Amino acid sequence: PPRAAAIDRSELEGLRLALHEPHRVGSRLDPLLFDDALVRGAYELLASTPDARAALDAADPPTRELLERVAVEEPFLGDDADDAVPSVVVQLAEQAGRRRLEALVRAGDDRASELKQRLDDVVTARSTRSWADADRAAQRLVAWGAVPTEEQS
């Protein structure tokens, strides 16, 4: 059956980078940066197998279809490939941070104010297009816990 919702473009781009540019992505991506369960599962499969072929071989049909789709779609690296990866990672971290902030606010969790400050740091660095600073701020955001662990979800 067809999927009910479209996949977020940032998540697709993150998955494309993980598949086509794993040496550029390194450890910057985290499965929980992906909100869409299908994309998260595809990323986890890519991260846990030696290569894309092994991931395709191990994938269930919907995951295989998604991986085949991104395998034929080149990631958009633009004029500066060194900035392309951080920009996607920053976007994913910012989206994950916003989801986490909403959850903390709903729960009345006092950590929401600290998370908001860290999220603002990411937004400020991103808005100046200082991708190295934004990437560091995004990594700090993720390390702080803006992306919940499975137990916190």
Side-chain angles (χ1 to χ4, degrees), residues 43-58:
Y43 171 74
E44 288 173 328
L45 197 54
L46 277 174
S48 67
T49 54
D51 56 34
R53 171 68 9 213
L56 283 166
D57 291 344

Side-chain angles (χ1 to χ4, degrees), residues 2-50:
R3 284 179 46 94
I7 297 173
D8 178 86
R9 288 183 357 194
S10 299
E11 293 194 19
L12 280 175
E13 193 61 21
L15 189 59
R16 273 187 213 100
L17 287 170
L19 187 128
H20 291 280
E21 302 287 333
H23 60 284
R24 289 186 191 275
V25 174
S27 62
R28 289 177 164 146
L29 292 178
D30 182 286
L32 292 172
L33 289 175
F34 299 97
D35 192 42
D36 187 289
L38 180 61
V39 179
R40 184 174 45 253
Y43 171 74
E44 288 173 328
L45 197 54
L46 277 174
S48 67
T49 54

Side-chain angles (χ1 to χ4, degrees), residues 4 13 15 17 29 41 46 49 65-66 79-80 108 124 130-131 134 148:
E13 193 61 21
L15 189 59
L17 287 170
L29 292 178
L46 277 174
T49 54
E65 183 179 322
L66 176 60
D79 294 335
D80 190 350
T124 299
S130 172
W131 294 118

